[in-house]
């Protein structure tokens, strides 16, 4: 999960270089800011594209933001053509409150998504995320399966619990890195000049909570809705998805050639496959 600390790097570079998906809408759609207060008193911010289609709820990665993860790379504008899209700034991130106690994170972050859906009167939705957001999606699949239309797990997966199966899956993982990473890091450093700094006490509290809370158990054989996984070739894709391939009833696995954890989020194929998956399983 903590590897996603650098996911924000990618978002800044996409915004800087003007990269757009070929499926992005011709007319830009602006999201609306929303706020709600969680049951423990933490105020949370979200962005909403108020469309007429089925809801899509997306969760960003560690040290990311709703806007940086989903608006800048084009995911949200593309989905907003046919869907109501909700992007949560998870607690400790973006414009949401940033408690400094580890006890404010972990399970509370899963509860936030459920309470947001209740607040917006959303019964069922396409729910997905990248990195920490993908891991959170996996938690919600176990907690509230009845509220999923589909699930999208990006930059994450479900680990093997059997040691022999784990070793076999790890042996399949390609070794290497995306050569674009160095360029992305350079662009990120330039983009961050003069920008507000993250609340590092809150960031460390998130990390501390996850070290004791993760991994969370899940019985994949009980999941009866379609699930998509998207991982880079150099981001342990088989370690994360072999169990999902074996146990899920409806599973689509996308491995992005030559991409790593850092660069998979900006690959146009990622956007294309995510949007196509959600549209093809719409209810």
């Amino acid at each position: 999960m903590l590897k996603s600390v650098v996911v924000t790097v990618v978002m800044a570079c996409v915004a800087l270089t003007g990269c757009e998906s070929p499926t992005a809408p011709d007319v830009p759609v602006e999201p609306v800011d929303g706020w709600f207060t969680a049951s423990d008193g933490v105020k949370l911010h979200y962005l909403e594209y108020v469309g007429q289609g089925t809801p899509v709820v997306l969760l960003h990665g560690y040290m990311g933001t709703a806007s940086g993860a989903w608006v800048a790379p084009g995911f949200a504008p593309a989905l907003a053509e046919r869907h109501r899209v909700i992007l949560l700034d998870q607690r400790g991130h973006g414009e949401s409150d940033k408690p400094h106690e580890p006890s404010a994170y972990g399970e509370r972050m899963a509860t936030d998504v459920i309470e947001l859906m209740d607040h917006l009167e959303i019964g069922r939705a396409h729910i997905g995320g990248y990195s920490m957001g993908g891991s959170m999606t996996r938690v919600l699949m176990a907690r509230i399966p009845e509220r999923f239309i589909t699930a999208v797990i990006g930059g994450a997966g479900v680990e093997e619990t059997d040691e022999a199966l784990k070793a076999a899956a790890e042996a399949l993982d390609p070794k290497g890195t995306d050569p674009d990473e160095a360029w992305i890091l350079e662009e990120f450093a330039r983009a961050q000049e003069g920008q507000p700094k993250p609340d590092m006490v809150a960031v460390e509290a998130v990390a501390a909570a996850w070290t004791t809370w993760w991994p969370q158990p899940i019985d994949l054989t009980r999941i009866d809705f379609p699930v998509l996984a998207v991982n880079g070739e150099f981001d342990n894709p088989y370690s994360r998805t072999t169990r999902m391939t074996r146990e899920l009833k409806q599973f689509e696995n996308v491995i992005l050639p030559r991409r790593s954890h850092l660069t998979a989020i900006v690959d146009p194929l990622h956007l294309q496959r995510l949007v196509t998956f959600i549209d093809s399983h719409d209810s």
Side-chain angles (χ1 to χ4, degrees):
M1 183 278 294
L2 295 184
K3 191 176 180 183
S4 57
V5 65
V6 290
V7 165
T8 312
V9 173
V10 178
M11 312 316 165
C13 294
V14 172
L16 280 173
T17 58
C19 296
E20 294 182 359
S21 160
T23 58
D26 293 332
V27 179
V29 179
E30 293 298 326
V32 176
D33 289 285
W35 302 86
F36 83 103
T37 302
S39 56
D40 65 344
V42 173
K43 189 176 181 181
L44 299 173
H45 171 257
Y46 62 92
L47 297 173
E48 180 175 5
Y49 288 80
V50 187
Q52 297 301 313
T54 52
V56 178
V57 178
L58 296 176
L59 307 171
H60 62 76
Y62 180 67
M63 286 188 71
T65 65
S67 178
W70 303 115
V71 179
F75 291 92
L79 287 165
E81 291 185 315
R82 291 170 295 279
H83 299 277
R84 177 187 181 189
V85 182
I86 297 94
L87 315 169
L88 176 64
D89 269 337
Q90 299 193 70
R91 59 175 61 205
H93 299 78
E95 297 184 47
S96 292
D97 283 353
K98 301 171 179 62
H100 287 177
E101 305 78 22
S103 59
Y105 298 96
E107 185 65 30
R108 278 296 334 176
M109 299 175 76
T111 305
D112 288 342
V113 182
I114 300 170
E115 292 181 355
L116 173 61
M117 293 177 66
D118 291 343
H119 171 75
L120 295 174
E121 299 182 345
I122 295 172
R124 297 174 69 233
H126 303 278
I127 304 173
Y130 192 81
S131 195
M132 182 182 75
S135 297
M136 190 62 62
T137 300
R138 164 251 184 95
V139 173
L140 293 166
M141 287 167 59
R143 300 284 194 278
I144 52 167
E146 72 282 358
R147 302 190 71 168
F148 277 78
I149 300 172
T150 67
V152 178
I153 299 178
V158 180
E159 69 285 338
E160 296 281 2
T161 55
D162 179 272
E163 287 301 321
L165 292 174
K166 178 181 177 182
E170 289 176 347
L172 297 174
D173 286 329
K175 307 303 179 186
T177 189
D178 189 328
D180 290 340
E181 282 193 3
W183 171 82
I184 290 171
L185 288 169
E186 291 174 3
E187 291 294 315
F188 174 68
R190 285 193 287 268
Q192 290 302 295
E193 294 177 2
Q195 296 297 312
K197 302 296 184 182
D199 184 331
M200 294 309 298
V201 177
V203 166
E204 291 170 2
V206 174
W210 277 72
T211 58
T212 58
W213 183 64
W214 195 259
Q216 290 291 300
I218 183 171
D219 183 353
L220 294 174
T221 64
R222 301 185 65 181
I223 302 300
D224 60 2
F225 49 82
V227 179
L228 170 70
V230 183
N231 287 283
E233 177 184 6
F234 300 132
D235 194 21
N236 305 315
Y238 294 102
S239 300
R240 291 173 166 173
T241 62
T242 301
R243 181 180 164 196
M244 299 169 76
T245 302
R246 186 175 65 249
E247 297 180 6
L248 284 170
K249 299 180 180 71
Q250 303 179 70
F251 180 56
E252 182 176 334
N253 194 17
V254 176
I255 298 176
L256 303 173
R258 296 177 57 83
R259 296 305 187 187
S260 65
H261 191 80
L262 175 60
T263 60
I265 193 71
V266 296
D267 193 309
L269 181 60
H270 187 169
L271 188 154
Q272 179 188 35
R273 295 298 291 272
L274 183 149
V275 173
T276 300
F277 174 80
I278 288 177
D279 286 346
S280 64
H281 292 289
D282 214 4
S283 60

